[in-house]
Amino acid sequence: MEALFINLAEAFTGWMIRLGLNPAWAESILLLVKWIIVITIITVNIIILIWLERKISAFFQERLGPNRLGPFGIFQTVADAIKLLTKEDIVPSAADKLIFKTAPMFFIVVAVMLYTVIPMGKDMEVINLNIGLLFFISVGSLSTIALLMAGWGSNNKWSLMGAVRSVAQMVSYEIPLAFSLLGVVMITGSLNLQDIVAAQDKWWFIVLQPIAFITYFIAATAELNRGPFDMPEAEQELTGGAYTEYTGMRWALFFLAEYTNLVAVSALMATVFLGGWQGPWLPSWLWIIIKTYAVILVFFWVKWTFPRIRMDHLMSFSWKVLVPVSLGNILLTGAGIYFCRWMGWC
Amino acid sequence: MMFNLAAFSLYDLAFIIIAGITVTAALGVVLFKNIIYSALSLILAFLGAAAIYFQLNSSFLGVIQILVYAGAISVLIIFAIMLVMNRPAGESNLSSPRTREVFTGATITAMLFTALIAVIGFTQWPIGAKPGPDNSLGLLADLLLGDYVIAFEAAAILLLVAVVGAIILAKGGENK
């Protein structure tokens, strides 16, 4: 069970080479197949996630949630997806058409690119990059541009307002986001996510870096534009922010990309702080799924229990609380590492 | 790495695609009449340059290119454009109507281009040397925070002062 997918991949490559294909081409085709699998998993997983979020929000608000289509309403999202796919594609006449149409595509491409480096099991990842963590942070920062494109291209003041808010928020929260991961990098001495997982065989980094875990969680919530930091969307005051003018499948692409980002960030949290694919009894690829879902549930829990935070509070919280705390954590970690070496424990 | 000499053609193909996109995007920066399009096409050029770094096995430079240029500088450029744009977007990036300025610009560009071509042509490139170190990040960190730590910290303090100065300039000094 453990090496199921690795054996499958090797068998596939071997089969292609036996068909007379150049090994390099076989590798490239394998890479393409890996991507197709990742994208398929993301899209199918979104259907479950949206249903789950609606059920959980209903539970928090003492409602029933979707309950008509299928057992426990589980096919509701499928019906919604079909509805969105068949809806008329409206492009506002005053919109900047090219930017308006490219923005959702750019957003989803950036979101999917995050999965390149996430270890989905022992020796299982699309590419084993030796600076995987840095890659994740830098590619994650690109999604601001997609939102800015959407806000500008819509040619609507609420859209632009939402885009400007989300960019201000994401640029500010990127700093504590990166700083809180630095503690883990200092302990591991590597930016390779597989090395980070391997370093957690005794202690998970949530034990060694509790402050970093909390600051990362808060910064990630803001980076994902999720509640209580969902000021950029703020349905009640901005009518949906950057997504206001989007309908049908284009809007659904934004929605899909947001959930894709959510899963990617949760998987990264599971990898960096919760021991990644390590765990007893079950195969490694199942452990990462379980841990990712556990983090996602916490994200849902936070979103549906806390009220939205005001914009100025949001910004001052990042710059005056999260940045100093995460900087302090780096200092503390450095001192801790030296103390540990001085005592001869590590 | 994944690509070896047997995959020569594939490697070349990837380079041609990436380089084509980068050059087209760079041309777009100059030729688009809408300055927002120019800014977005600049981002595409940055991403293309990052892709070339990745292909040259220098993933650290590539990632930093994405993080700093495509992720941060470009947002700054777009914000600056939005703040100062004072005419319709469709004619915000017109080339100068005066022929003298166009001529000056073209001359300087042609000279720089010739100089670059000459430099590339006359340099002895060390082909066939051993591939770059796999852990370039660790070596870079040792250099930056070891031998050159003073210069590194001085640059950091300079940037910090610039940030503080910018905040004071933006907020104004009236409420002391």
Side-chain angles (χ1 to χ4, degrees), chain B residues 103-150:
Chain B
F103 181 72
T104 321
T107 316
I108 292 172
T109 314
M111 280 161 67
L112 275 177
F113 190 69
T114 322
L116 263 179
I117 293 285
V119 166
I120 292 169
F122 290 129
T123 310
Q124 288 288 325
W125 299 100
I127 298 170
K130 64 177 176 20
D134 203 34
N135 185 15
S136 59
L137 182 62
L139 297 172
L140 196 68
D142 280 343
L143 277 180
L144 267 184
L145 299 172
D147 292 358
Y148 299 105
V149 68
I150 305 283

mmCIF file of all heavy atoms in Angstrom, chain B residues 103-150:
data_model
loop_
_atom_site.group_PDB
_atom_site.id
_atom_site.type_symbol
_atom_site.label_atom_id
_atom_site.label_comp_id
_atom_site.label_asym_id
_atom_site.label_seq_id
_atom_site.Cartn_x
_atom_site.Cartn_y
_atom_site.Cartn_z
ATOM 1 N N PHE B 103 13.655 59.445 -32.351
ATOM 2 C CA PHE B 103 14.960 59.207 -32.973
ATOM 3 C C PHE B 103 16.023 58.973 -31.902
ATOM 4 O O PHE B 103 16.801 58.016 -31.963
ATOM 5 C CB PHE B 103 15.333 60.413 -33.846
ATOM 6 C CG PHE B 103 16.637 60.251 -34.547
ATOM 7 C CD1 PHE B 103 16.755 59.358 -35.608
ATOM 8 C CD2 PHE B 103 17.759 60.964 -34.137
ATOM 9 C CE1 PHE B 103 17.968 59.203 -36.253
ATOM 10 C CE2 PHE B 103 18.973 60.797 -34.773
ATOM 11 C CZ PHE B 103 19.071 59.920 -35.838
ATOM 12 N N THR B 104 16.030 59.861 -30.853
ATOM 13 C CA THR B 104 17.004 59.697 -29.768
ATOM 14 C C THR B 104 16.855 58.331 -29.115
ATOM 15 O O THR B 104 17.834 57.598 -28.926
ATOM 16 C CB THR B 104 16.805 60.805 -28.712
ATOM 17 O OG1 THR B 104 16.520 62.012 -29.376
ATOM 18 C CG2 THR B 104 18.005 60.939 -27.837
ATOM 19 N N GLY B 105 15.613 58.000 -28.785
ATOM 20 C CA GLY B 105 15.365 56.716 -28.122
ATOM 21 C C GLY B 105 15.832 55.572 -28.980
ATOM 22 O O GLY B 105 16.514 54.648 -28.494
ATOM 23 N N ALA B 106 15.495 55.628 -30.261
ATOM 24 C CA ALA B 106 15.860 54.526 -31.162
ATOM 25 C C ALA B 106 17.363 54.406 -31.275
ATOM 26 O O ALA B 106 17.915 53.302 -31.264
ATOM 27 C CB ALA B 106 15.233 54.758 -32.533
ATOM 28 N N THR B 107 18.068 55.558 -31.336
ATOM 29 C CA THR B 107 19.526 55.514 -31.456
ATOM 30 C C THR B 107 20.150 54.858 -30.231
ATOM 31 O O THR B 107 20.989 53.961 -30.338
ATOM 32 C CB THR B 107 20.095 56.944 -31.609
ATOM 33 O OG1 THR B 107 19.284 57.643 -32.527
ATOM 34 C CG2 THR B 107 21.521 56.910 -32.067
ATOM 35 N N ILE B 108 19.704 55.308 -29.044
ATOM 36 C CA ILE B 108 20.286 54.754 -27.813
ATOM 37 C C ILE B 108 20.005 53.255 -27.741
ATOM 38 O O ILE B 108 20.891 52.448 -27.415
ATOM 39 C CB ILE B 108 19.704 55.484 -26.579
ATOM 40 C CG1 ILE B 108 20.206 56.938 -26.564
ATOM 41 C CG2 ILE B 108 20.116 54.779 -25.296
ATOM 42 C CD1 ILE B 108 19.558 57.783 -25.517
ATOM 43 N N THR B 109 18.767 52.859 -28.082
ATOM 44 C CA THR B 109 18.417 51.442 -28.048
ATOM 45 C C THR B 109 19.301 50.650 -29.001
ATOM 46 O O THR B 109 19.816 49.582 -28.648
ATOM 47 C CB THR B 109 16.951 51.257 -28.431
ATOM 48 O OG1 THR B 109 16.175 52.214 -27.728
ATOM 49 C CG2 THR B 109 16.466 49.873 -28.104
ATOM 50 N N ALA B 110 19.492 51.183 -30.211
ATOM 51 C CA ALA B 110 20.300 50.467 -31.197
ATOM 52 C C ALA B 110 21.733 50.324 -30.711
ATOM 53 O O ALA B 110 22.345 49.260 -30.840
ATOM 54 C CB ALA B 110 20.274 51.222 -32.533
ATOM 55 N N MET B 111 22.274 51.405 -30.080
ATOM 56 C CA MET B 111 23.639 51.322 -29.571
ATOM 57 C C MET B 111 23.768 50.283 -28.473
ATOM 58 O O MET B 111 24.686 49.461 -28.468
ATOM 59 C CB MET B 111 24.087 52.700 -29.051
ATOM 60 C CG MET B 111 24.532 53.650 -30.150
ATOM 61 S SD MET B 111 24.528 55.354 -29.598
ATOM 62 C CE MET B 111 25.836 55.325 -28.414
ATOM 63 N N LEU B 112 22.811 50.300 -27.545
ATOM 64 C CA LEU B 112 22.851 49.335 -26.443
ATOM 65 C C LEU B 112 22.744 47.912 -26.983
ATOM 66 O O LEU B 112 23.463 47.008 -26.546
ATOM 67 C CB LEU B 112 21.692 49.597 -25.477
ATOM 68 C CG LEU B 112 21.940 50.641 -24.415
ATOM 69 C CD1 LEU B 112 20.678 50.836 -23.595
ATOM 70 C CD2 LEU B 112 23.070 50.201 -23.512
ATOM 71 N N PHE B 113 21.864 47.743 -27.966
ATOM 72 C CA PHE B 113 21.653 46.413 -28.543
ATOM 73 C C PHE B 113 22.928 45.918 -29.207
ATOM 74 O O PHE B 113 23.352 44.779 -28.977
ATOM 75 C CB PHE B 113 20.509 46.491 -29.558
ATOM 76 C CG PHE B 113 20.044 45.161 -30.050
ATOM 77 C CD1 PHE B 113 19.365 44.293 -29.194
ATOM 78 C CD2 PHE B 113 20.275 44.769 -31.353
ATOM 79 C CE1 PHE B 113 18.936 43.068 -29.642
ATOM 80 C CE2 PHE B 113 19.851 43.533 -31.803
ATOM 81 C CZ PHE B 113 19.176 42.682 -30.947
ATOM 82 N N THR B 114 23.575 46.809 -29.964
ATOM 83 C CA THR B 114 24.835 46.440 -30.620
ATOM 84 C C THR B 114 25.874 46.056 -29.575
ATOM 85 O O THR B 114 26.583 45.053 -29.718
ATOM 86 C CB THR B 114 25.358 47.616 -31.468
ATOM 87 O OG1 THR B 114 24.245 48.262 -32.078
ATOM 88 C CG2 THR B 114 26.309 47.141 -32.530
ATOM 89 N N ALA B 115 25.961 46.882 -28.511
ATOM 90 C CA ALA B 115 26.952 46.607 -27.475
ATOM 91 C C ALA B 115 26.685 45.239 -26.843
ATOM 92 O O ALA B 115 27.607 44.441 -26.640
ATOM 93 C CB ALA B 115 26.889 47.702 -26.410
ATOM 94 N N LEU B 116 25.405 44.935 -26.566
ATOM 95 C CA LEU B 116 25.065 43.658 -25.943
ATOM 96 C C LEU B 116 25.447 42.500 -26.850
ATOM 97 O O LEU B 116 26.059 41.515 -26.407
ATOM 98 C CB LEU B 116 23.558 43.613 -25.667
ATOM 99 C CG LEU B 116 23.125 43.986 -24.270
ATOM 100 C CD1 LEU B 116 21.610 43.922 -24.172
ATOM 101 C CD2 LEU B 116 23.742 43.027 -23.277
ATOM 102 N N ILE B 117 25.083 42.640 -28.140
ATOM 103 C CA ILE B 117 25.396 41.578 -29.095
ATOM 104 C C ILE B 117 26.903 41.365 -29.157
ATOM 105 O O ILE B 117 27.401 40.233 -29.150
ATOM 106 C CB ILE B 117 24.862 41.951 -30.499
ATOM 107 C CG1 ILE B 117 23.325 41.981 -30.505
ATOM 108 C CG2 ILE B 117 25.373 40.975 -31.562
ATOM 109 C CD1 ILE B 117 22.678 40.648 -30.486
ATOM 110 N N ALA B 118 27.658 42.493 -29.152
ATOM 111 C CA ALA B 118 29.113 42.400 -29.217
ATOM 112 C C ALA B 118 29.642 41.669 -27.988
ATOM 113 O O ALA B 118 30.489 40.774 -28.099
ATOM 114 C CB ALA B 118 29.714 43.807 -29.319
ATOM 115 N N VAL B 119 29.132 42.059 -26.810
ATOM 116 C CA VAL B 119 29.606 41.429 -25.567
ATOM 117 C C VAL B 119 29.336 39.934 -25.607
ATOM 118 O O VAL B 119 30.202 39.104 -25.304
ATOM 119 C CB VAL B 119 28.921 42.083 -24.352
ATOM 120 C CG1 VAL B 119 29.127 41.232 -23.119
ATOM 121 C CG2 VAL B 119 29.466 43.471 -24.131
ATOM 122 N N ILE B 120 28.101 39.571 -26.022
ATOM 123 C CA ILE B 120 27.743 38.150 -26.051
ATOM 124 C C ILE B 120 28.626 37.416 -27.059
ATOM 125 O O ILE B 120 29.107 36.314 -26.819
ATOM 126 C CB ILE B 120 26.240 37.984 -26.390
ATOM 127 C CG1 ILE B 120 25.396 38.511 -25.246
ATOM 128 C CG2 ILE B 120 25.908 36.522 -26.662
ATOM 129 C CD1 ILE B 120 23.937 38.639 -25.568
ATOM 130 N N GLY B 121 28.886 38.090 -28.197
ATOM 131 C CA GLY B 121 29.654 37.430 -29.252
ATOM 132 C C GLY B 121 31.120 37.242 -28.909
ATOM 133 O O GLY B 121 31.707 36.231 -29.240
ATOM 134 N N PHE B 122 31.725 38.216 -28.207
ATOM 135 C CA PHE B 122 33.166 38.159 -27.979
ATOM 136 C C PHE B 122 33.548 37.463 -26.687
ATOM 137 O O PHE B 122 34.712 37.185 -26.455
ATOM 138 C CB PHE B 122 33.756 39.581 -27.985
ATOM 139 C CG PHE B 122 33.738 40.203 -29.346
ATOM 140 C CD1 PHE B 122 33.209 41.466 -29.555
ATOM 141 C CD2 PHE B 122 34.239 39.489 -30.439
ATOM 142 C CE1 PHE B 122 33.199 42.021 -30.821
ATOM 143 C CE2 PHE B 122 34.220 40.045 -31.708
ATOM 144 C CZ PHE B 122 33.685 41.313 -31.894
ATOM 145 N N THR B 123 32.550 37.186 -25.816
ATOM 146 C CA THR B 123 32.890 36.533 -24.555
ATOM 147 C C THR B 123 33.165 35.052 -24.788
ATOM 148 O O THR B 123 32.498 34.402 -25.597
ATOM 149 C CB THR B 123 31.730 36.681 -23.551
ATOM 150 O OG1 THR B 123 31.363 38.037 -23.503
ATOM 151 C CG2 THR B 123 32.138 36.216 -22.174
ATOM 152 N N GLN B 124 34.203 34.553 -24.092
ATOM 153 C CA GLN B 124 34.474 33.117 -24.130
ATOM 154 C C GLN B 124 33.604 32.447 -23.064
ATOM 155 O O GLN B 124 33.861 32.588 -21.869
ATOM 156 C CB GLN B 124 35.959 32.870 -23.835
ATOM 157 C CG GLN B 124 36.894 33.282 -24.960
ATOM 158 C CD GLN B 124 36.811 32.354 -26.156
ATOM 159 O OE1 GLN B 124 36.616 31.151 -25.986
ATOM 160 N NE2 GLN B 124 36.930 32.894 -27.359
ATOM 161 N N TRP B 125 32.546 31.745 -23.498
ATOM 162 C CA TRP B 125 31.670 31.106 -22.505
ATOM 163 C C TRP B 125 32.248 29.763 -22.118
ATOM 164 O O TRP B 125 32.598 28.968 -22.979
ATOM 165 C CB TRP B 125 30.266 30.928 -23.072
ATOM 166 C CG TRP B 125 29.640 32.234 -23.435
ATOM 167 C CD1 TRP B 125 29.559 32.773 -24.677
ATOM 168 C CD2 TRP B 125 29.042 33.176 -22.551
ATOM 169 N NE1 TRP B 125 28.944 33.996 -24.629
ATOM 170 C CE2 TRP B 125 28.621 34.261 -23.348
ATOM 171 C CE3 TRP B 125 28.825 33.221 -21.181
ATOM 172 C CZ2 TRP B 125 27.990 35.378 -22.796
ATOM 173 C CZ3 TRP B 125 28.197 34.316 -20.649
ATOM 174 C CH2 TRP B 125 27.792 35.388 -21.449
ATOM 175 N N PRO B 126 32.364 29.486 -20.825
ATOM 176 C CA PRO B 126 32.946 28.200 -20.405
ATOM 177 C C PRO B 126 31.954 27.054 -20.594
ATOM 178 O O PRO B 126 31.298 26.617 -19.652
ATOM 179 C CB PRO B 126 33.279 28.430 -18.923
ATOM 180 C CG PRO B 126 32.333 29.502 -18.492
ATOM 181 C CD PRO B 126 32.024 30.336 -19.687
ATOM 182 N N ILE B 127 31.849 26.593 -21.831
ATOM 183 C CA ILE B 127 30.920 25.493 -22.105
ATOM 184 C C ILE B 127 31.579 24.180 -21.711
ATOM 185 O O ILE B 127 32.784 23.990 -21.916
ATOM 186 C CB ILE B 127 30.529 25.489 -23.596
ATOM 187 C CG1 ILE B 127 29.818 26.794 -23.931
ATOM 188 C CG2 ILE B 127 29.645 24.306 -23.929
ATOM 189 C CD1 ILE B 127 29.613 27.009 -25.403
ATOM 190 N N GLY B 128 30.809 23.298 -21.147
ATOM 191 C CA GLY B 128 31.322 21.982 -20.803
ATOM 192 C C GLY B 128 31.969 21.931 -19.443
ATOM 193 O O GLY B 128 32.447 20.888 -19.035
ATOM 194 N N ALA B 129 31.961 23.052 -18.729
ATOM 195 C CA ALA B 129 32.449 23.017 -17.359
ATOM 196 C C ALA B 129 31.475 22.197 -16.524
ATOM 197 O O ALA B 129 30.373 21.872 -16.959
ATOM 198 C CB ALA B 129 32.577 24.431 -16.811
ATOM 199 N N LYS B 130 31.885 21.885 -15.312
ATOM 200 C CA LYS B 130 30.997 21.065 -14.481
ATOM 201 C C LYS B 130 29.739 21.865 -14.121
ATOM 202 O O LYS B 130 29.793 23.094 -14.027
ATOM 203 C CB LYS B 130 31.738 20.599 -13.233
ATOM 204 C CG LYS B 130 32.177 21.710 -12.287
ATOM 205 C CD LYS B 130 32.822 21.043 -11.078
ATOM 206 C CE LYS B 130 33.430 21.924 -10.039
ATOM 207 N NZ LYS B 130 33.150 23.250 -9.841
ATOM 208 N N PRO B 131 28.600 21.176 -13.980
ATOM 209 C CA PRO B 131 27.348 21.897 -13.708
ATOM 210 C C PRO B 131 27.408 22.640 -12.390
ATOM 211 O O PRO B 131 28.221 22.324 -11.514
ATOM 212 C CB PRO B 131 26.303 20.783 -13.667
ATOM 213 C CG PRO B 131 27.080 19.533 -13.407
ATOM 214 C CD PRO B 131 28.400 19.736 -14.038
ATOM 215 N N GLY B 132 26.590 23.655 -12.271
ATOM 216 C CA GLY B 132 26.554 24.474 -11.070
ATOM 217 C C GLY B 132 26.238 23.641 -9.844
ATOM 218 O O GLY B 132 25.697 22.543 -9.949
ATOM 219 N N PRO B 133 26.597 24.162 -8.674
ATOM 220 C CA PRO B 133 26.353 23.384 -7.449
ATOM 221 C C PRO B 133 24.858 23.170 -7.239
ATOM 222 O O PRO B 133 24.039 24.013 -7.595
ATOM 223 C CB PRO B 133 26.948 24.256 -6.352
ATOM 224 C CG PRO B 133 26.968 25.625 -6.926
ATOM 225 C CD PRO B 133 27.177 25.465 -8.390
ATOM 226 N N ASP B 134 24.519 22.006 -6.685
ATOM 227 C CA ASP B 134 23.113 21.676 -6.500
ATOM 228 C C ASP B 134 22.496 22.530 -5.404
ATOM 229 O O ASP B 134 21.341 22.905 -5.468
ATOM 230 C CB ASP B 134 22.988 20.182 -6.155
ATOM 231 C CG ASP B 134 21.601 19.676 -6.491
ATOM 232 O OD1 ASP B 134 21.035 20.166 -7.490
ATOM 233 O OD2 ASP B 134 21.094 18.825 -5.758
ATOM 234 N N ASN B 135 23.311 22.829 -4.379
ATOM 235 C CA ASN B 135 22.774 23.582 -3.252
ATOM 236 C C ASN B 135 23.298 25.015 -3.322
ATOM 237 O O ASN B 135 24.060 25.452 -2.472
ATOM 238 C CB ASN B 135 23.173 22.899 -1.936
ATOM 239 C CG ASN B 135 22.550 23.572 -0.748
ATOM 240 O OD1 ASN B 135 21.625 24.362 -0.893
ATOM 241 N ND2 ASN B 135 23.067 23.279 0.423
ATOM 242 N N SER B 136 22.892 25.748 -4.382
ATOM 243 C CA SER B 136 23.412 27.099 -4.551
ATOM 244 C C SER B 136 22.928 28.005 -3.427
ATOM 245 O O SER B 136 23.600 28.961 -3.056
ATOM 246 C CB SER B 136 22.968 27.650 -5.900
ATOM 247 O OG SER B 136 21.569 27.661 -5.981
ATOM 248 N N LEU B 137 21.753 27.679 -2.867
ATOM 249 C CA LEU B 137 21.174 28.516 -1.816
ATOM 250 C C LEU B 137 22.068 28.542 -0.582
ATOM 251 O O LEU B 137 22.333 29.603 -0.022
ATOM 252 C CB LEU B 137 19.784 27.986 -1.465
ATOM 253 C CG LEU B 137 19.037 28.774 -0.423
ATOM 254 C CD1 LEU B 137 18.786 30.165 -0.910
ATOM 255 C CD2 LEU B 137 17.737 28.090 -0.102
ATOM 256 N N GLY B 138 22.565 27.364 -0.161
ATOM 257 C CA GLY B 138 23.409 27.285 1.022
ATOM 258 C C GLY B 138 24.695 28.073 0.838
ATOM 259 O O GLY B 138 25.116 28.825 1.720
ATOM 260 N N LEU B 139 25.305 27.939 -0.354
ATOM 261 C CA LEU B 139 26.544 28.672 -0.627
ATOM 262 C C LEU B 139 26.294 30.170 -0.617
ATOM 263 O O LEU B 139 27.070 30.947 -0.064
ATOM 264 C CB LEU B 139 27.098 28.236 -1.983
ATOM 265 C CG LEU B 139 27.509 26.766 -2.083
ATOM 266 C CD1 LEU B 139 27.849 26.397 -3.515
ATOM 267 C CD2 LEU B 139 28.709 26.510 -1.180
ATOM 268 N N LEU B 140 25.172 30.554 -1.233
ATOM 269 C CA LEU B 140 24.814 31.973 -1.285
ATOM 270 C C LEU B 140 24.607 32.517 0.124
ATOM 271 O O LEU B 140 25.068 33.612 0.459
ATOM 272 C CB LEU B 140 23.540 32.133 -2.112
ATOM 273 C CG LEU B 140 23.225 33.532 -2.604
ATOM 274 C CD1 LEU B 140 24.261 33.938 -3.627
ATOM 275 C CD2 LEU B 140 21.842 33.576 -3.202
ATOM 276 N N ALA B 141 23.922 31.735 0.960
ATOM 277 C CA ALA B 141 23.656 32.173 2.330
ATOM 278 C C ALA B 141 24.955 32.335 3.096
ATOM 279 O O ALA B 141 25.139 33.317 3.824
ATOM 280 C CB ALA B 141 22.751 31.163 3.027
ATOM 281 N N ASP B 142 25.889 31.372 2.896
ATOM 282 C CA ASP B 142 27.182 31.474 3.576
ATOM 283 C C ASP B 142 27.919 32.745 3.179
ATOM 284 O O ASP B 142 28.514 33.424 4.012
ATOM 285 C CB ASP B 142 28.049 30.251 3.238
ATOM 286 C CG ASP B 142 27.650 29.056 4.085
ATOM 287 O OD1 ASP B 142 26.969 29.278 5.101
ATOM 288 O OD2 ASP B 142 28.007 27.927 3.728
ATOM 289 N N LEU B 143 27.859 33.073 1.877
ATOM 290 C CA LEU B 143 28.545 34.282 1.403
ATOM 291 C C LEU B 143 27.870 35.535 1.948
ATOM 292 O O LEU B 143 28.528 36.431 2.473
ATOM 293 C CB LEU B 143 28.542 34.316 -0.125
ATOM 294 C CG LEU B 143 29.634 33.512 -0.824
ATOM 295 C CD1 LEU B 143 29.477 33.648 -2.320
ATOM 296 C CD2 LEU B 143 31.000 33.997 -0.384
ATOM 297 N N LEU B 144 26.522 35.593 1.818
ATOM 298 C CA LEU B 144 25.796 36.816 2.176
ATOM 299 C C LEU B 144 25.886 37.091 3.670
ATOM 300 O O LEU B 144 26.099 38.224 4.088
ATOM 301 C CB LEU B 144 24.329 36.691 1.770
ATOM 302 C CG LEU B 144 23.947 37.227 0.406
ATOM 303 C CD1 LEU B 144 22.459 37.117 0.223
ATOM 304 C CD2 LEU B 144 24.385 38.665 0.249
ATOM 305 N N LEU B 145 25.704 36.051 4.492
ATOM 306 C CA LEU B 145 25.688 36.256 5.937
ATOM 307 C C LEU B 145 27.024 35.919 6.573
ATOM 308 O O LEU B 145 27.152 35.876 7.791
ATOM 309 C CB LEU B 145 24.566 35.429 6.577
ATOM 310 C CG LEU B 145 23.174 35.823 6.076
ATOM 311 C CD1 LEU B 145 22.126 34.864 6.586
ATOM 312 C CD2 LEU B 145 22.827 37.227 6.494
ATOM 313 N N GLY B 146 28.048 35.648 5.736
ATOM 314 C CA GLY B 146 29.385 35.386 6.272
ATOM 315 C C GLY B 146 30.350 36.477 5.831
ATOM 316 O O GLY B 146 30.523 37.488 6.511
ATOM 317 N N ASP B 147 30.902 36.310 4.617
ATOM 318 C CA ASP B 147 31.920 37.253 4.136
ATOM 319 C C ASP B 147 31.363 38.652 3.931
ATOM 320 O O ASP B 147 32.038 39.641 4.179
ATOM 321 C CB ASP B 147 32.496 36.732 2.808
ATOM 322 C CG ASP B 147 33.288 35.470 3.024
ATOM 323 O OD1 ASP B 147 33.389 35.059 4.194
ATOM 324 O OD2 ASP B 147 33.786 34.894 2.047
ATOM 325 N N TYR B 148 30.118 38.739 3.416
ATOM 326 C CA TYR B 148 29.608 40.058 3.025
ATOM 327 C C TYR B 148 28.513 40.541 3.962
ATOM 328 O O TYR B 148 27.619 41.273 3.560
ATOM 329 C CB TYR B 148 29.078 40.004 1.588
ATOM 330 C CG TYR B 148 30.147 39.634 0.600
ATOM 331 C CD1 TYR B 148 30.206 38.372 0.043
ATOM 332 C CD2 TYR B 148 31.124 40.564 0.244
ATOM 333 C CE1 TYR B 148 31.205 38.027 -0.843
ATOM 334 C CE2 TYR B 148 32.131 40.222 -0.644
ATOM 335 C CZ TYR B 148 32.165 38.954 -1.185
ATOM 336 O OH TYR B 148 33.152 38.625 -2.041
ATOM 337 N N VAL B 149 28.561 40.157 5.221
ATOM 338 C CA VAL B 149 27.452 40.457 6.122
ATOM 339 C C VAL B 149 27.308 41.962 6.351
ATOM 340 O O VAL B 149 26.196 42.468 6.471
ATOM 341 C CB VAL B 149 27.596 39.672 7.447
ATOM 342 C CG1 VAL B 149 28.769 40.159 8.252
ATOM 343 C CG2 VAL B 149 26.333 39.721 8.246
ATOM 344 N N ILE B 150 28.437 42.686 6.361
ATOM 345 C CA ILE B 150 28.370 44.139 6.608
ATOM 346 C C ILE B 150 27.605 44.815 5.464
ATOM 347 O O ILE B 150 26.677 45.598 5.691
ATOM 348 C CB ILE B 150 29.788 44.749 6.742
ATOM 349 C CG1 ILE B 150 30.592 44.023 7.819
ATOM 350 C CG2 ILE B 150 29.701 46.230 7.029
ATOM 351 C CD1 ILE B 150 30.237 44.378 9.215
#
